[in-house]
Amino acid sequence: MASHPVKPLPSGHLQLLRRNLITPAVLKPPSMVSAGFKNHHFLGLCIDESAREMRSLRSWSHRRRVSKSAGVSLPVASAEDFPAVSWESWKPDKTTVAPSWSDVIWPAAGAFAAMAIMGRIDNILNPKGISMSVAPLGAVSAILFTTPSAPSARKYNMFIAQIGCAAIGVLAFSIFGPGWLARSTALAASIAFMVITRANHPPAASLPLLFIDGAKLHKLNFWYALFPGAAACILLCFIQQIVCYLKDNFKF
């Protein structure tokens, strides 16, 4: 078999080959490897090794960064490891249908009627220094009139949570007195109570705080469990039935 003469390598290419073989692969950018071996097809083994090094460097560079001081590779977070920022939660739900005039007018009218009736009751109760139209009932009205089929609008959830959380507020005030300890304990116990009894009704969690901070309600003692929360909810449920009937039969 005839042997072909091997042409000597230029000095510059020989130095580049020596440097690529000696320098650690972590410190060698892919551009130097591709520039040194792009147009030369000698020493097939070296070319294959360099090509594999280039592929590994390209895939590795997305996950690791080389420390310039010590020459050690340190793991860092890649941009692809973080989820893309979503702004969908700041926009209205696209799957819901635009509300009709009936969905707007009747719930608003029901809330107005409820607060007006409780306001008249307050005029009767003012000499005794108590009020029926307390702030948590505004949240209850919003739930009953706008989302009557929601779990928190169920009668069981509403009455069990209203009575239980109000009683917890009275008990916490009796043990700890006014202050942050009574408020935090009452709120934690109210949430645990709603979870245990499966009575999910978020507005009821504000009743203990209202009692602890409202000096005019302290005279009610454990009657606070029934008034004003539970008593007012009876009135709200009655008005809710009227609103649901009007929405179903008188649409705009």
Side-chain angles (χ1 to χ4, degrees), residues 168-209:
I168 289 173
V170 178
L171 184 62
F173 178 79
S174 303
I175 297 174
F176 301 105
W180 65 269
L181 184 58
R183 288 194 296 268
S184 57
T185 303
L187 180 59
S190 298
I191 293 175
F193 172 78
M194 287 190 287
V195 172
I196 293 173
T197 59
R198 294 179 292 176
N200 180 24
H201 187 70
S206 60
L207 289 175
L209 308 181

mmCIF file of all heavy atoms in Angstrom, residues 168-209:
data_model
loop_
_atom_site.group_PDB
_atom_site.id
_atom_site.type_symbol
_atom_site.label_atom_id
_atom_site.label_comp_id
_atom_site.label_asym_id
_atom_site.label_seq_id
_atom_site.Cartn_x
_atom_site.Cartn_y
_atom_site.Cartn_z
ATOM 1 N N ILE A 168 -66.538 32.628 69.654
ATOM 2 C CA ILE A 168 -65.086 32.549 69.884
ATOM 3 C C ILE A 168 -64.533 33.924 70.234
ATOM 4 O O ILE A 168 -63.653 34.066 71.098
ATOM 5 C CB ILE A 168 -64.401 31.971 68.631
ATOM 6 C CG1 ILE A 168 -64.719 30.487 68.495
ATOM 7 C CG2 ILE A 168 -62.893 32.185 68.687
ATOM 8 C CD1 ILE A 168 -64.228 29.871 67.204
ATOM 9 N N GLY A 169 -65.038 34.976 69.582
ATOM 10 C CA GLY A 169 -64.585 36.324 69.916
ATOM 11 C C GLY A 169 -64.912 36.708 71.343
ATOM 12 O O GLY A 169 -64.087 37.314 72.042
ATOM 13 N N VAL A 170 -66.111 36.358 71.806
ATOM 14 C CA VAL A 170 -66.496 36.650 73.196
ATOM 15 C C VAL A 170 -65.616 35.874 74.174
ATOM 16 O O VAL A 170 -65.170 36.406 75.203
ATOM 17 C CB VAL A 170 -67.982 36.312 73.409
ATOM 18 C CG1 VAL A 170 -68.385 36.554 74.862
ATOM 19 C CG2 VAL A 170 -68.849 37.142 72.477
ATOM 20 N N LEU A 171 -65.348 34.611 73.848
ATOM 21 C CA LEU A 171 -64.520 33.789 74.731
ATOM 22 C C LEU A 171 -63.085 34.307 74.790
ATOM 23 O O LEU A 171 -62.482 34.367 75.875
ATOM 24 C CB LEU A 171 -64.552 32.342 74.236
ATOM 25 C CG LEU A 171 -63.814 31.307 75.096
ATOM 26 C CD1 LEU A 171 -64.435 31.234 76.491
ATOM 27 C CD2 LEU A 171 -63.847 29.938 74.426
ATOM 28 N N ALA A 172 -62.530 34.691 73.663
ATOM 29 C CA ALA A 172 -61.165 35.208 73.655
ATOM 30 C C ALA A 172 -61.056 36.512 74.434
ATOM 31 O O ALA A 172 -60.075 36.747 75.150
ATOM 32 C CB ALA A 172 -60.695 35.412 72.217
ATOM 33 N N PHE A 173 -62.073 37.369 74.324
ATOM 34 C CA PHE A 173 -62.057 38.627 75.074
ATOM 35 C C PHE A 173 -62.171 38.364 76.575
ATOM 36 O O PHE A 173 -61.549 39.067 77.393
ATOM 37 C CB PHE A 173 -63.202 39.518 74.601
ATOM 38 C CG PHE A 173 -63.312 40.816 75.344
ATOM 39 C CD1 PHE A 173 -62.478 41.878 75.038
ATOM 40 C CD2 PHE A 173 -64.261 40.973 76.343
ATOM 41 C CE1 PHE A 173 -62.572 43.073 75.732
ATOM 42 C CE2 PHE A 173 -64.373 42.159 77.035
ATOM 43 C CZ PHE A 173 -63.525 43.216 76.734
ATOM 44 N N SER A 174 -62.966 37.357 76.959
ATOM 45 C CA SER A 174 -63.124 37.034 78.377
ATOM 46 C C SER A 174 -61.837 36.504 78.981
ATOM 47 O O SER A 174 -61.560 36.740 80.169
ATOM 48 C CB SER A 174 -64.251 36.006 78.553
ATOM 49 O OG SER A 174 -65.464 36.486 78.012
ATOM 50 N N ILE A 175 -61.028 35.792 78.187
ATOM 51 C CA ILE A 175 -59.800 35.194 78.710
ATOM 52 C C ILE A 175 -58.630 36.175 78.663
ATOM 53 O O ILE A 175 -57.905 36.351 79.663
ATOM 54 C CB ILE A 175 -59.463 33.912 77.922
ATOM 55 C CG1 ILE A 175 -60.564 32.872 78.123
ATOM 56 C CG2 ILE A 175 -58.109 33.358 78.364
ATOM 57 C CD1 ILE A 175 -60.380 31.631 77.280
ATOM 58 N N PHE A 176 -58.426 36.823 77.519
ATOM 59 C CA PHE A 176 -57.234 37.639 77.319
ATOM 60 C C PHE A 176 -57.484 39.136 77.458
ATOM 61 O O PHE A 176 -56.531 39.909 77.536
ATOM 62 C CB PHE A 176 -56.641 37.370 75.926
ATOM 63 C CG PHE A 176 -56.265 35.941 75.695
ATOM 64 C CD1 PHE A 176 -57.040 35.120 74.894
ATOM 65 C CD2 PHE A 176 -55.137 35.409 76.301
ATOM 66 C CE1 PHE A 176 -56.695 33.801 74.678
ATOM 67 C CE2 PHE A 176 -54.787 34.081 76.093
ATOM 68 C CZ PHE A 176 -55.563 33.275 75.287
ATOM 69 N N GLY A 177 -58.756 39.548 77.458
ATOM 70 C CA GLY A 177 -59.041 40.970 77.509
ATOM 71 C C GLY A 177 -58.755 41.629 76.168
ATOM 72 O O GLY A 177 -58.413 40.970 75.184
ATOM 73 N N PRO A 178 -58.866 42.960 76.090
ATOM 74 C CA PRO A 178 -58.597 43.647 74.823
ATOM 75 C C PRO A 178 -57.098 43.647 74.517
ATOM 76 O O PRO A 178 -56.261 43.687 75.417
ATOM 77 C CB PRO A 178 -59.116 45.069 75.084
ATOM 78 C CG PRO A 178 -59.006 45.242 76.560
ATOM 79 C CD PRO A 178 -59.255 43.891 77.163
ATOM 80 N N GLY A 179 -56.774 43.605 73.238
ATOM 81 C CA GLY A 179 -55.369 43.635 72.838
ATOM 82 C C GLY A 179 -55.074 42.678 71.702
ATOM 83 O O GLY A 179 -55.948 41.961 71.206
ATOM 84 N N TRP A 180 -53.786 42.679 71.303
ATOM 85 C CA TRP A 180 -53.379 41.896 70.133
ATOM 86 C C TRP A 180 -53.477 40.401 70.375
ATOM 87 O O TRP A 180 -53.756 39.633 69.453
ATOM 88 C CB TRP A 180 -51.944 42.261 69.755
ATOM 89 C CG TRP A 180 -50.923 41.873 70.798
ATOM 90 C CD1 TRP A 180 -50.473 42.637 71.833
ATOM 91 C CD2 TRP A 180 -50.253 40.608 70.910
ATOM 92 N NE1 TRP A 180 -49.554 41.940 72.583
ATOM 93 C CE2 TRP A 180 -49.394 40.689 72.040
ATOM 94 C CE3 TRP A 180 -50.280 39.431 70.184
ATOM 95 C CZ2 TRP A 180 -48.589 39.633 72.449
ATOM 96 C CZ3 TRP A 180 -49.474 38.359 70.583
ATOM 97 C CH2 TRP A 180 -48.634 38.484 71.694
ATOM 98 N N LEU A 181 -53.258 39.955 71.629
ATOM 99 C CA LEU A 181 -53.296 38.520 71.906
ATOM 100 C C LEU A 181 -54.705 37.975 71.727
ATOM 101 O O LEU A 181 -54.900 36.884 71.167
ATOM 102 C CB LEU A 181 -52.787 38.248 73.318
ATOM 103 C CG LEU A 181 -52.686 36.778 73.725
ATOM 104 C CD1 LEU A 181 -51.767 36.020 72.781
ATOM 105 C CD2 LEU A 181 -52.206 36.653 75.173
ATOM 106 N N ALA A 182 -55.687 38.708 72.193
ATOM 107 C CA ALA A 182 -57.075 38.260 72.031
ATOM 108 C C ALA A 182 -57.473 38.250 70.558
ATOM 109 O O ALA A 182 -58.144 37.310 70.098
ATOM 110 C CB ALA A 182 -58.001 39.172 72.831
ATOM 111 N N ARG A 183 -57.066 39.288 69.812
ATOM 112 C CA ARG A 183 -57.439 39.343 68.395
ATOM 113 C C ARG A 183 -56.805 38.208 67.610
ATOM 114 O O ARG A 183 -57.466 37.542 66.802
ATOM 115 C CB ARG A 183 -57.029 40.696 67.805
ATOM 116 C CG ARG A 183 -57.882 41.851 68.275
ATOM 117 C CD ARG A 183 -57.654 43.085 67.412
ATOM 118 N NE ARG A 183 -56.286 43.564 67.524
ATOM 119 C CZ ARG A 183 -55.873 44.474 68.401
ATOM 120 N NH1 ARG A 183 -56.741 44.995 69.256
ATOM 121 N NH2 ARG A 183 -54.619 44.872 68.431
ATOM 122 N N SER A 184 -55.499 37.987 67.809
ATOM 123 C CA SER A 184 -54.817 36.936 67.042
ATOM 124 C C SER A 184 -55.319 35.548 67.419
ATOM 125 O O SER A 184 -55.511 34.685 66.554
ATOM 126 C CB SER A 184 -53.304 37.031 67.268
ATOM 127 O OG SER A 184 -53.003 36.948 68.660
ATOM 128 N N THR A 185 -55.561 35.317 68.704
ATOM 129 C CA THR A 185 -56.070 34.009 69.134
ATOM 130 C C THR A 185 -57.474 33.762 68.597
ATOM 131 O O THR A 185 -57.789 32.652 68.137
ATOM 132 C CB THR A 185 -56.072 33.924 70.668
ATOM 133 O OG1 THR A 185 -54.751 34.174 71.165
ATOM 134 C CG2 THR A 185 -56.538 32.553 71.130
ATOM 135 N N ALA A 186 -58.328 34.789 68.658
ATOM 136 C CA ALA A 186 -59.698 34.631 68.178
ATOM 137 C C ALA A 186 -59.737 34.380 66.680
ATOM 138 O O ALA A 186 -60.522 33.546 66.201
ATOM 139 C CB ALA A 186 -60.514 35.874 68.531
ATOM 140 N N LEU A 187 -58.898 35.088 65.927
ATOM 141 C CA LEU A 187 -58.890 34.885 64.477
ATOM 142 C C LEU A 187 -58.396 33.486 64.123
ATOM 143 O O LEU A 187 -58.977 32.811 63.264
ATOM 144 C CB LEU A 187 -58.022 35.949 63.809
ATOM 145 C CG LEU A 187 -57.926 35.873 62.284
ATOM 146 C CD1 LEU A 187 -59.298 36.000 61.656
ATOM 147 C CD2 LEU A 187 -56.987 36.948 61.753
ATOM 148 N N ALA A 188 -57.316 33.048 64.767
ATOM 149 C CA ALA A 188 -56.797 31.707 64.488
ATOM 150 C C ALA A 188 -57.816 30.633 64.853
ATOM 151 O O ALA A 188 -58.030 29.664 64.104
ATOM 152 C CB ALA A 188 -55.494 31.492 65.258
ATOM 153 N N ALA A 189 -58.472 30.790 66.002
ATOM 154 C CA ALA A 189 -59.467 29.804 66.417
ATOM 155 C C ALA A 189 -60.684 29.820 65.491
ATOM 156 O O ALA A 189 -61.283 28.768 65.227
ATOM 157 C CB ALA A 189 -59.894 30.083 67.858
ATOM 158 N N SER A 190 -61.057 30.988 64.976
ATOM 159 C CA SER A 190 -62.200 31.071 64.064
ATOM 160 C C SER A 190 -61.916 30.355 62.754
ATOM 161 O O SER A 190 -62.781 29.631 62.226
ATOM 162 C CB SER A 190 -62.546 32.532 63.788
ATOM 163 O OG SER A 190 -62.916 33.189 64.975
ATOM 164 N N ILE A 191 -60.710 30.533 62.225
ATOM 165 C CA ILE A 191 -60.352 29.844 60.984
ATOM 166 C C ILE A 191 -60.333 28.334 61.202
ATOM 167 O O ILE A 191 -60.834 27.558 60.372
ATOM 168 C CB ILE A 191 -58.997 30.359 60.474
ATOM 169 C CG1 ILE A 191 -59.135 31.832 60.045
ATOM 170 C CG2 ILE A 191 -58.486 29.509 59.318
ATOM 171 C CD1 ILE A 191 -57.836 32.479 59.642
ATOM 172 N N ALA A 192 -59.751 27.895 62.334
ATOM 173 C CA ALA A 192 -59.735 26.459 62.631
ATOM 174 C C ALA A 192 -61.151 25.918 62.792
ATOM 175 O O ALA A 192 -61.463 24.803 62.340
ATOM 176 C CB ALA A 192 -58.920 26.212 63.899
ATOM 177 N N PHE A 193 -62.020 26.703 63.407
ATOM 178 C CA PHE A 193 -63.413 26.275 63.602
ATOM 179 C C PHE A 193 -64.118 26.097 62.261
ATOM 180 O O PHE A 193 -64.834 25.099 62.052
ATOM 181 C CB PHE A 193 -64.145 27.311 64.463
ATOM 182 C CG PHE A 193 -65.625 27.084 64.567
ATOM 183 C CD1 PHE A 193 -66.134 26.120 65.419
ATOM 184 C CD2 PHE A 193 -66.517 27.831 63.804
ATOM 185 C CE1 PHE A 193 -67.505 25.912 65.511
ATOM 186 C CE2 PHE A 193 -67.885 27.626 63.886
ATOM 187 C CZ PHE A 193 -68.381 26.656 64.747
ATOM 188 N N MET A 194 -63.935 27.038 61.333
ATOM 189 C CA MET A 194 -64.595 26.923 60.032
ATOM 190 C C MET A 194 -64.058 25.745 59.229
ATOM 191 O O MET A 194 -64.804 25.109 58.472
ATOM 192 C CB MET A 194 -64.432 28.227 59.248
ATOM 193 C CG MET A 194 -65.291 29.359 59.774
ATOM 194 S SD MET A 194 -65.318 30.822 58.694
ATOM 195 C CE MET A 194 -63.669 31.465 58.989
ATOM 196 N N VAL A 195 -62.769 25.447 59.384
ATOM 197 C CA VAL A 195 -62.200 24.308 58.672
ATOM 198 C C VAL A 195 -62.741 22.997 59.243
ATOM 199 O O VAL A 195 -63.111 22.072 58.506
ATOM 200 C CB VAL A 195 -60.662 24.353 58.737
ATOM 201 C CG1 VAL A 195 -60.070 23.073 58.165
ATOM 202 C CG2 VAL A 195 -60.128 25.558 57.985
ATOM 203 N N ILE A 196 -62.799 22.897 60.578
ATOM 204 C CA ILE A 196 -63.256 21.665 61.218
ATOM 205 C C ILE A 196 -64.733 21.399 60.917
ATOM 206 O O ILE A 196 -65.134 20.263 60.604
ATOM 207 C CB ILE A 196 -63.019 21.740 62.742
ATOM 208 C CG1 ILE A 196 -61.508 21.743 63.033
ATOM 209 C CG2 ILE A 196 -63.679 20.569 63.453
ATOM 210 C CD1 ILE A 196 -61.175 21.983 64.481
ATOM 211 N N THR A 197 -65.552 22.430 60.999
ATOM 212 C CA THR A 197 -66.987 22.261 60.763
ATOM 213 C C THR A 197 -67.358 22.308 59.290
ATOM 214 O O THR A 197 -68.538 22.145 58.954
ATOM 215 C CB THR A 197 -67.766 23.359 61.505
ATOM 216 O OG1 THR A 197 -67.335 24.647 61.053
ATOM 217 C CG2 THR A 197 -67.558 23.254 63.002
ATOM 218 N N ARG A 198 -66.362 22.566 58.418
ATOM 219 C CA ARG A 198 -66.587 22.677 56.972
ATOM 220 C C ARG A 198 -67.629 23.750 56.659
ATOM 221 O O ARG A 198 -68.469 23.583 55.777
ATOM 222 C CB ARG A 198 -66.996 21.322 56.381
ATOM 223 C CG ARG A 198 -65.901 20.279 56.444
ATOM 224 C CD ARG A 198 -66.351 18.962 55.889
ATOM 225 N NE ARG A 198 -67.378 18.343 56.732
ATOM 226 C CZ ARG A 198 -68.016 17.219 56.441
ATOM 227 N NH1 ARG A 198 -67.732 16.570 55.322
ATOM 228 N NH2 ARG A 198 -68.930 16.731 57.254
ATOM 229 N N ALA A 199 -67.547 24.844 57.406
ATOM 230 C CA ALA A 199 -68.450 25.977 57.216
ATOM 231 C C ALA A 199 -67.633 27.154 56.693
ATOM 232 O O ALA A 199 -67.239 28.039 57.454
ATOM 233 C CB ALA A 199 -69.142 26.335 58.529
ATOM 234 N N ASN A 200 -67.375 27.140 55.402
ATOM 235 C CA ASN A 200 -66.547 28.180 54.788
ATOM 236 C C ASN A 200 -67.385 29.436 54.549
ATOM 237 O O ASN A 200 -68.229 29.485 53.651
ATOM 238 C CB ASN A 200 -65.968 27.664 53.458
ATOM 239 C CG ASN A 200 -65.101 28.708 52.790
ATOM 240 O OD1 ASN A 200 -64.570 29.596 53.444
ATOM 241 N ND2 ASN A 200 -64.958 28.613 51.477
ATOM 242 N N HIS A 201 -67.146 30.453 55.386
ATOM 243 C CA HIS A 201 -67.870 31.724 55.259
ATOM 244 C C HIS A 201 -66.912 32.837 55.721
ATOM 245 O O HIS A 201 -66.906 33.211 56.906
ATOM 246 C CB HIS A 201 -69.144 31.698 56.104
ATOM 247 C CG HIS A 201 -70.018 32.895 55.897
ATOM 248 N ND1 HIS A 201 -70.714 33.133 54.727
ATOM 249 C CD2 HIS A 201 -70.303 33.946 56.711
ATOM 250 C CE1 HIS A 201 -71.398 34.246 54.832
ATOM 251 N NE2 HIS A 201 -71.159 34.773 56.027
ATOM 252 N N PRO A 202 -66.065 33.359 54.819
ATOM 253 C CA PRO A 202 -65.018 34.314 55.215
ATOM 254 C C PRO A 202 -65.488 35.531 56.004
ATOM 255 O O PRO A 202 -64.771 35.964 56.929
ATOM 256 C CB PRO A 202 -64.400 34.723 53.868
ATOM 257 C CG PRO A 202 -64.653 33.558 52.975
ATOM 258 C CD PRO A 202 -65.976 33.017 53.386
ATOM 259 N N PRO A 203 -66.655 36.156 55.704
ATOM 260 C CA PRO A 203 -67.039 37.345 56.494
ATOM 261 C C PRO A 203 -67.150 37.085 57.987
ATOM 262 O O PRO A 203 -66.991 38.009 58.800
ATOM 263 C CB PRO A 203 -68.387 37.736 55.894
ATOM 264 C CG PRO A 203 -68.349 37.222 54.503
ATOM 265 C CD PRO A 203 -67.586 35.942 54.587
ATOM 266 N N ALA A 204 -67.407 35.832 58.390
ATOM 267 C CA ALA A 204 -67.561 35.536 59.811
ATOM 268 C C ALA A 204 -66.253 35.685 60.580
ATOM 269 O O ALA A 204 -66.277 35.879 61.805
ATOM 270 C CB ALA A 204 -68.108 34.117 59.990
ATOM 271 N N ALA A 205 -65.127 35.625 59.898
ATOM 272 C CA ALA A 205 -63.842 35.743 60.594
ATOM 273 C C ALA A 205 -63.608 37.139 61.160
ATOM 274 O O ALA A 205 -62.744 37.316 62.023
ATOM 275 C CB ALA A 205 -62.707 35.374 59.643
ATOM 276 N N SER A 206 -64.364 38.126 60.686
ATOM 277 C CA SER A 206 -64.201 39.485 61.205
ATOM 278 C C SER A 206 -65.062 39.751 62.437
ATOM 279 O O SER A 206 -64.870 40.770 63.120
ATOM 280 C CB SER A 206 -64.548 40.503 60.113
ATOM 281 O OG SER A 206 -65.882 40.341 59.673
ATOM 282 N N LEU A 207 -65.994 38.883 62.747
ATOM 283 C CA LEU A 207 -66.862 39.102 63.907
ATOM 284 C C LEU A 207 -66.102 39.089 65.234
ATOM 285 O O LEU A 207 -66.379 39.928 66.113
ATOM 286 C CB LEU A 207 -67.980 38.059 63.924
ATOM 287 C CG LEU A 207 -69.054 38.204 62.839
ATOM 288 C CD1 LEU A 207 -70.034 37.046 62.901
ATOM 289 C CD2 LEU A 207 -69.793 39.529 63.001
ATOM 290 N N PRO A 208 -65.158 38.168 65.469
ATOM 291 C CA PRO A 208 -64.405 38.236 66.735
ATOM 292 C C PRO A 208 -63.625 39.541 66.891
ATOM 293 O O PRO A 208 -63.592 40.115 67.992
ATOM 294 C CB PRO A 208 -63.470 37.029 66.644
ATOM 295 C CG PRO A 208 -64.105 36.116 65.674
ATOM 296 C CD PRO A 208 -64.790 36.982 64.689
ATOM 297 N N LEU A 209 -63.001 40.017 65.819
ATOM 298 C CA LEU A 209 -62.244 41.257 65.906
ATOM 299 C C LEU A 209 -63.165 42.435 66.184
ATOM 300 O O LEU A 209 -62.801 43.371 66.911
ATOM 301 C CB LEU A 209 -61.472 41.479 64.599
ATOM 302 C CG LEU A 209 -60.600 40.319 64.128
ATOM 303 C CD1 LEU A 209 -59.879 40.697 62.833
ATOM 304 C CD2 LEU A 209 -59.606 39.930 65.195
#
